[in-house]
Amino acid sequence: QGVTATQVKNDIIDATRPWFQHESHGAFGGYFALARGPVNVRTTNRNVCQGDWLAEIADLADKAVQLHEPSLNLKNFDAVIYYFGAVAPCTAAEAGWGELSGKRIWLNGDHSARTAVHEFGHHLGLGHAGAQQCLSPLGALVPLSTNCTTAEYGDLFSAMGSTAALTDEYSPFQQAQLGWNQAWTSTAFAGDPPKTYFLTPVEDDAPPGTTQTLRLFDNAGEDLWLDDHRNHQGPNIGFDSYTSGLLVRRETNPLAPSPVLLYMNRELSKGGPGNTFRPNMLVGQSWTNPLGTMTITLNSADATGASVTIQSPPPPPPTDIVVPNLIGLQPNAAAAAIRAAGLTVGPVNQQIDCEDLSRVVAQSPGAGALVRPGFAVGYTYGTAPRNGCGTPN
């Protein structure tokens, strides 16, 4: 295609290095590379654009390079990129491939920094960033429900989604996977008192301690991630450019977590019937997670960031527990009955009582009393005198 290995390397590496340095808040310095090639390889595998075909390209290219440079050990590199001219049978979406947490990256005629950042993300262990479209029980479009379909690349604001610009970040959840945004992340838990946070735009080079990401630990494992985008330059969404504002994402699978963007609003599209989705929340909008309890309210938003209030109902007061009747039980059975009721075992005493040997003869508090969960219940059981029962003292 008229480009040299050095040109490809410069477009991929030099253009992405500042992006990684900004994205990681300086924790990751980006990639540096040696350029080798071009080399000619002839594949025999007919599964073009599939994994075994890509592996064959890489294996043949490795052998060709090492044939000319025996001292060059590719195993010593963190990543190896294989760039080749666009292969027609591959779909338009197949501009590149990356081994998940592996070393190999393939670029199919696309040496843009945008594509490289995406495939480097796979190399770093990141999956794709999707979006969800959800329906209520009555079939209405809602931001979240138990009836959702996921578009694997649907997050237009993530470099691991279908964004067409290098201005976008990895999603905040993915940054957390990489350990890049802890000092810029605040957390809130279900049941916490209401609190207002100010989120500076994710594009800003903000100092540590500034909140750019807000993680909500909601009930039933429904973790939500909030951030504020201001400089998205990807394709418009719907009939206007809704490309700035507060975004809400969720984790979809606790066993293999991946982030999905939620569409927080719906509008009738201009020019005909249909639905157009606004991913960002609108100023003044409040939304309660239907799968949890937490409510998000967007108070204000401008170029400097977004003011967000998080609240959820306080946890219900504990229900009083009825103290079980322990009289006549053996000590071990009495302790088990106390724990089974959600209480704890209090002082255990003995008294000489030949008629109720190893049986509870008294308890405190008495059976039927109402106490808080965890309250300590004590009891006394009968025991024989030193000389045994039936033996004169």
Side-chain angles (χ1 to χ4, degrees):
Q1 292 189 335
V3 294
T4 67
T6 299
Q7 288 174 315
V8 172
K9 185 266 293 184
N10 291 342
D11 289 345
I12 294 172
I13 303 301
D14 295 343
T16 61
R17 192 178 302 117
W19 187 92
F20 279 110
Q21 291 169 346
H22 165 76
E23 178 74 356
S24 68
H25 298 283
F28 178 52
Y31 295 92
F32 296 82
L34 297 177
R36 293 295 184 268
V39 296
N40 294 319
V41 300
R42 181 181 296 275
T43 60
T44 59
N45 195 298
R46 296 184 178 181
N47 295 322
V48 178
C49 307
Q50 302 303 309
D52 48 1
W53 179 79
L54 294 170
E56 186 180 15
I57 286 180
D59 291 341
L60 293 174
D62 288 354
K63 291 179 180 178
V65 169
Q66 291 178 317
L67 180 64
H68 296 285
E69 296 184 72
S71 62
L72 185 65
N73 187 352
L74 296 178
K75 293 181 179 180
N76 293 333
F77 291 85
D78 292 325
V80 181
I81 300 171
Y82 305 90
Y83 172 82
F84 48 88
V87 176
C90 302
T91 67
E94 292 173 322
W97 301 263
E99 286 184 324
L100 191 63
S101 300
K103 287 192 173 187
R104 288 177 164 180
I105 295 169
W106 298 263
L107 297 178
N108 177 27
D110 185 344
H111 51 94
S112 66
R114 152 74 190 103
T115 297
V117 160
H118 181 100
E119 302 308 334
F120 277 136
H122 290 313
H123 161 67
L124 293 171
L126 303 181
H128 289 137
Q132 286 192 326
Q133 178 174 315
C134 303
L135 298 176
S136 73
L138 298 178
L141 289 160
V142 292
L144 182 58
S145 70
T146 57
N147 181 15
C148 300
T149 56
T150 301
E152 183 180 359
Y153 296 86
D155 190 343
L156 300 175
F157 298 85
S158 170
M160 298 309 294
S162 58
T163 180
L166 191 61
T167 54
D168 295 303
E169 318 275 319
Y170 293 142
S171 76
F173 168 75
Q174 291 172 325
Q175 288 186 354
Q177 285 182 294
L178 297 170
W180 290 352
N181 65 349
Q182 285 92 332
W184 291 264
T185 300
S186 295
T187 58
F189 296 83
D192 284 351
K195 185 174 180 180
T196 297
Y197 301 83
F198 188 79
L199 278 63
T200 60
V202 293
E203 299 88 356
D204 288 359
D205 289 319
T210 303
T211 298
Q212 289 187 309
T213 296
L214 181 58
R215 184 178 187 182
L216 308 183
F217 290 90
D218 211 340
N219 293 339
E222 273 298 315
D223 291 357
L224 301 174
W225 297 76
L226 279 61
D227 64 355
D228 182 60
H229 270 263
R230 289 292 146 188
N231 296 327
H232 176 77
Q233 296 177 11
N236 291 350
I237 304 169
F239 59 86
D240 275 321
S241 181
Y242 299 124
T243 56
S244 296
L246 183 71
L247 302 180
V248 182
R249 296 179 175 92
R250 69 185 286 242
E251 295 178 31
T252 57
N253 185 345
L255 298 179
S258 57
V260 288
L261 177 71
L262 303 183
Y263 287 97
M264 303 306 294
N265 288 281
R266 180 173 62 86
E267 295 281 336
L268 289 177
S269 64
K270 291 182 178 179
N275 295 300
T276 296
F277 301 98
R278 291 185 179 188
N280 57 297
M281 291 188 69
L282 306 179
V283 172
Q285 179 182 356
S286 289
W287 175 76
T288 300
N289 181 6
L291 305 184
T293 64
M294 302 182 83
T295 297
I296 304 167
T297 301
L298 179 57
N299 307 310
S300 62
D302 57 28
T304 65
S307 171
V308 182
T309 297
I310 306 299
Q311 58 187 349
S312 62
T319 303
D320 288 340
I321 294 176
V322 178
V323 175
N325 183 12
L326 308 178
I327 303 302
L329 298 179
Q330 293 183 341
N332 289 343
I338 292 171
R339 295 189 182 99
L343 306 171
T344 58
V345 178
V348 177
N349 300 305
Q350 303 174 12
Q351 72 177 37
I352 295 175
D353 190 333
C354 288
E355 293 184 3
D356 293 291
L357 284 175
S358 298
R359 300 284 179 180
V360 174
V361 296
Q363 68 179 80
S364 178
L370 295 177
V371 297
R372 291 295 189 185
F375 193 87
V377 177
Y379 58 87
T380 301
Y381 66 94
T383 185
R386 182 178 57 184
N387 296 327
C389 290
T391 303
N393 290 330

